[in-house]
Amino acid sequence: MRDSDTFVTYHKALMELSHDSHFIGQRRHLKLEALTALCGRLMGVERVSVWIFPPERDRITCETLFDGHEAASSGEPCASPATSNTHSTDPSPISLYRSDHPNYFQAIAEERIIAVDDAHTDPRTASFNPDYLTRVGVHSMLDTPVFEGSRLSGVICLEACHPRQWTLPEMSFAVAIADTVSLINTHERWMNSKRALDYISRFDSQTGLANMDSLRERVSYLAGKINRRGQGSLALIWIDVDRLKTINDGLGPQVGDAVIAEIGQRLRSLRLQGKDLLARIGGDEFALLIRNHTKADSIGDTALQIQDVIRQPIRVAGQSLSVSASLGICHLPEDCQRARELLRGAEAAMYHAKHLGRAQATVFDSAIQISAQSRFALERELRAAINNRELDVFYQPILDASGKRMVSMEALVRWNHPNRGWLAPIEFLDIARGGGLMYALGECVLTRVCDNWREASDRGLQLPVISVNLSSEQVLVAELPDKVKALCAEHAMPVNALQFEVTEDSIQGDFNTLAGVLERLVEAGAELAIDDFGTGYSSLARLKSLPFSRIKIDRSFINQLPDDEDDCAITLSILGLARGLGLMVVAEGVETKAHEQWLVEQGCDFLQGYLYSKPLPFTELTERFFQGH
């Protein structure tokens, strides 16, 4: 047969195999077996093998071996296990090491094909004799490297047990086999990556449970099925672990993670009628989907089992912790018709359970629906107000110990709702946090502060330092210092005109990120203060490691001064701690002369409260405190 006809025959056979639907659907090892068998049969080669490089790249290991001798004895094509003796039960694979065969490994790395007529004498392969070539009976070799991109990943090895001169069609076919293996490897790696990505996108890495996306997909599918058939029911139980934040703040996030992992395992192990899907849907939240077994008695028993199993003490970090859970329950089709409504209804019922005092289970009803609708509407309106820069800022003066000279002023966000009028932060910050709006809200407040500063500057007014609150959602964003500097530059405002207040609870996150953000703010010129000191769980180690210059004593300790002995003792200890750390102290909530007198006598540096001024709109503040300037 002419070379051209041989070439066509070989490549036609390869194309027919590689495009066959049965071949395409096979696992990788079966594809390799089919390819090596095809190569051995067409070319009359006794042995065809596929070798791979491990990550160390110090050797190649035989992955698949077609042995024509076995095929002939059985009457069928045979791909033997790639072991040191294909007729043996020894499972150890053959490996050839670079240190033993340097010439061969160099040739594989540099040449597109190694055609060896006499493997015993060729310098590239002579090192294989006698341990390999003589034992197996190999005379001629045709080896082709397998590439993945530009990286050498393996070798296709054809071994003839008789003298042979390799033809151009045979060498071309060996290269085509190597390229086909490369495609198989690439597809396999892509499939593995896809499976890994699917897992990451559909499952929670900490607990191994389904995540919110998986829950939404499952609920949507079952809700559609119920609506189409007009039969069946679902109940979604939204589970919120009570006070997990307290554990995170007091004992560290690792302990909190261990608690969540243990609760996830306990919920997974529960045997419940109708249990369809368990998902972790947030940091401290799970959801359990019940199918068909949704009557009141059955769901009531399920809720009790969930609360009982969560309530059992959890041993972690040498401590026994007791936690509880608030449950919200919503039914489909009784309470709603759509998947989204089922999710929102269960969440709203859970929030209602928390408001009732936690550790309770609440079933969604019309009253909760009205409350939920109001909450979702307010979240939607707040999002629009933030996007449209409609939030405002009021300012409360901070005075020196004389109570007469303003040294700074705190910016406090306000929202002039079109229907409800002026809203204080307590009325919408929880909604902002639940809706993931805190960072955008903080940026909106800072922009308004810069606007006011620029307005005052244009009028020739010299404002004192302005204190701006930073949420935990802001202080862990590495880009925050750059955003602050950009906003200040845009308004021709120096960064040292700002002071940032951070609550104790906000400094419990990733320390490296937190420290980097705060240190860069200070480097840019801003000062830092710890707000609401005494109400959180910050450690002294963190306090002394972060660049704070002020501590603000929470108003709850000031209210009963000087009559309450406990409040006096706490306030004195904070003042002493501040002196030891070289920090200035601001007392919040100063409302009486008795407060003022006691705090000044104890050496408090700055005072803030209704005794001096309530928070004022910017215009009113400038008229009252900067008139005549």
Side-chain angles (χ1 to χ4, degrees):
M1 185 182 296
R2 293 180 305 174
D3 282 356
S4 59
D5 294 335
T6 303
F7 182 91
V8 171
T9 299
Y10 286 172
H11 286 271
K12 180 181 179 182
L14 177 59
M15 183 185 70
E16 289 175 351
L17 175 64
S18 61
H19 287 72
D20 182 79
S21 58
H22 178 67
F23 176 85
I24 293 172
Q26 287 182 327
R27 293 181 179 272
R28 179 174 179 276
H29 75 277
L30 295 176
K31 291 179 179 178
L32 297 182
E33 290 179 2
L35 283 171
T36 54
L38 174 70
C39 190
R41 177 176 58 81
L42 286 179
M43 297 177 61
V45 177
E46 286 83 359
R47 293 164 62 89
V48 182
S49 52
V50 179
W51 301 68
I52 57 173
F53 279 97
E56 300 83 358
R57 304 185 66 77
D58 62 337
R59 62 191 181 277
I60 53 175
T61 300
C62 190
E63 181 181 15
T64 301
L65 170 64
F66 167 80
D67 191 324
H69 296 299
E70 290 188 353
S73 63
S74 66
E76 298 178 2
C78 178
S80 303
T83 59
S84 57
N85 185 340
T86 57
H87 296 282
S88 169
T89 58
D90 180 7
S92 59
I94 304 172
S95 289
L96 303 176
Y97 286 83
R98 182 187 300 272
S99 58
D100 296 330
H101 311 287
N103 292 341
Y104 175 79
F105 276 81
Q106 182 177 352
I108 281 294
E110 296 176 353
E111 301 178 27
R112 187 64 180 93
I113 192 165
I114 300 176
V116 178
D117 296 337
D118 186 348
H120 295 267
T121 59
D122 192 292
R124 296 169 293 182
T125 57
S127 60
F128 296 143
N129 191 48
D131 293 340
Y132 180 74
L133 299 177
T134 301
R135 178 173 60 81
V136 178
V138 173
H139 191 283
S140 301
M141 296 175 62
L142 178 62
D143 286 13
T144 307
V146 177
F147 290 94
E148 292 182 27
S150 60
R151 186 179 69 88
L152 180 64
S153 65
V155 181
I156 304 297
C157 182
L158 283 64
E159 298 170 330
C161 295
H162 54 278
R164 180 161 184 165
Q165 290 187 339
W166 303 102
T167 66
L168 186 60
E170 290 170 340
M171 287 187 274
S172 173
F173 188 54
V175 171
I177 293 291
D179 290 341
T180 303
V181 172
S182 176
L183 289 174
I184 292 172
N185 292 344
T186 301
H187 180 262
E188 183 79 6
R189 197 167 61 254
W190 177 80
M191 288 298 294
N192 290 338
S193 298
K194 183 176 182 296
R195 282 191 287 268
L197 182 60
D198 287 344
Y199 182 87
I200 291 171
S201 63
R202 296 178 57 80
F203 292 89
D204 172 56
S205 60
Q206 185 177 339
T207 62
L209 299 175
N211 62 13
M212 177 60 96
D213 288 340
S214 295
L215 177 66
R216 286 196 186 101
E217 184 177 313
R218 183 62 176 167
V219 171
S220 180
Y221 169 76
L222 293 177
K225 191 174 180 180
I226 290 170
N227 290 332
R228 287 193 305 272
R229 295 182 176 182
Q231 61 182 15
S233 62
L234 296 175
L236 183 63
I237 304 176
W238 197 290
I239 305 163
D240 184 276
V241 180
D242 296 327
R243 297 187 177 90
L244 183 68
K245 187 175 187 299
T246 301
I247 294 175
N248 282 331
D249 293 342
L251 300 176
Q254 294 85 0
V255 175
D257 289 346
V259 169
I260 285 296
E262 173 62 21
I263 291 174
Q265 183 58 42
R266 292 181 182 184
L267 293 175
R268 190 203 298 269
S269 301
L270 276 178
R271 296 178 179 269
L272 303 167
Q273 282 192 319
K275 183 178 178 181
D276 186 90
L277 181 70
L278 173 66
R280 185 190 181 200
I281 53 177
D284 56 0
E285 294 177 324
F286 297 86
L288 179 63
L289 185 61
I290 302 295
R291 187 177 179 188
N292 294 330
H293 297 268
T294 60
K295 291 184 178 180
D297 289 346
S298 178
I299 289 297
D301 289 341
T302 296
L304 286 175
Q305 290 184 64
I306 291 171
Q307 289 179 315
D308 285 344
V309 78
I310 291 176
R311 195 177 292 118
Q312 299 302 313
I314 298 173
R315 293 289 302 177
V316 59
Q319 302 187 54
S320 180
L321 303 176
S322 296
V323 297
S324 60
S326 299
L327 276 55
I329 304 166
C330 189
H331 294 81
L332 184 149
E334 292 90 338
D335 299 324
C336 57
Q337 299 293 321
R338 299 179 180 179
R340 181 176 62 182
E341 295 169 349
L342 182 67
L343 291 163
R344 286 197 164 189
E347 183 184 17
M350 179 274 294
Y351 278 118
H352 188 68
K354 279 190 172 297
H355 290 316
L356 292 177
R358 305 176 188 271
Q360 300 192 42
T362 302
V363 178
F364 186 80
D365 59 20
S366 57
I368 294 176
Q369 183 175 22
I370 293 171
S371 174
Q373 288 173 345
S374 175
R375 179 183 178 89
F376 294 137
L378 195 62
E379 179 185 323
R380 186 171 57 252
E381 293 165 349
L382 178 58
R383 190 181 302 274
I386 291 172
N387 291 337
N388 297 328
R389 304 293 183 188
E390 294 173 354
L391 297 183
D392 211 330
V393 173
F394 283 19
Y395 296 90
Q396 186 173 35
I398 299 173
L399 290 81
D400 64 8
S402 70
K404 297 177 181 179
R405 185 175 69 87
M406 186 192 304
V407 294
S408 60
M409 55 190 192
E410 181 178 1
L412 300 163
V413 65
R414 295 292 187 270
W415 180 17
N416 191 6
H417 190 277
N419 300 319
R420 305 185 188 190
W422 286 105
L423 299 181
I426 194 172
E427 299 177 82
F428 60 86
L429 284 186
D430 277 347
I431 291 174
R433 183 163 283 110
L437 299 174
M438 288 299 292
Y439 186 87
L441 186 149
E443 183 180 333
C444 186
V445 168
L446 184 58
T447 301
R448 180 55 63 94
V449 167
C450 292
D451 287 339
N452 290 155
W453 190 93
R454 180 63 180 268
E455 179 185 339
S457 179
D458 291 343
R459 290 166 52 192
L461 302 179
Q462 184 65 43
L463 298 181
V465 171
I466 302 175
S467 291
V468 179
N469 293 283
L470 293 179
S471 67
S472 57
E473 290 83 353
Q474 290 175 281
V475 294
L476 291 175
V477 176
E479 294 77 19
L480 178 66
D482 292 333
K483 185 65 180 180
V484 169
K485 289 189 285 187
L487 276 174
C488 287
E490 182 182 337
H491 293 79
M493 176 183 183
V495 178
N496 62 15
L498 293 171
Q499 180 182 84
F500 291 105
E501 298 185 8
V502 181
T503 65
E504 283 188 273
D505 289 345
S506 296
I507 63 173
Q508 300 305 310
D510 176 65
F511 184 77
N512 290 334
T513 302
L514 174 73
V517 169
L518 297 182
E519 286 169 1
R520 288 172 60 205
L521 287 173
V522 171
E523 288 171 1
E527 293 185 354
L528 297 177
I530 303 175
D531 195 15
D532 299 338
F533 189 80
T535 62
Y537 297 88
S538 60
S539 67
L540 288 178
R542 286 206 162 200
L543 288 181
K544 70 179 184 179
S545 301
L546 296 171
F548 293 106
S549 58
R550 291 189 186 186
I551 286 179
K552 298 189 74 175
I553 305 176
D554 185 69
R555 68 185 67 250
S556 63
F557 302 122
I558 305 300
N559 189 43
Q560 301 300 322
L561 293 179
D563 301 320
D564 189 287
E565 293 182 1
D566 291 337
D567 285 346
C568 287
I570 291 171
T571 303
L572 285 171
S573 68
I574 295 174
L575 288 167
L577 173 65
R579 292 191 190 100
L581 294 175
L583 305 176
M584 308 291 278
V585 179
V586 181
E588 297 180 302
V590 180
E591 297 184 358
T592 68
K593 283 292 184 180
H595 292 162
E596 179 187 70
Q597 181 178 349
W598 189 89
L599 287 164
V600 171
E601 288 175 353
Q602 306 308 322
C604 186
D605 302 291
F606 306 111
L607 309 168
Q608 177 182 359
Y610 274 40
L611 178 62
Y612 313 108
S613 174
K614 65 180 182 179
L616 300 171
F618 179 69
T619 301
E620 189 173 339
L621 178 94
T622 55
E623 289 177 352
R624 177 173 170 181
F625 289 93
F626 298 94
Q627 204 156 27
H629 288 256

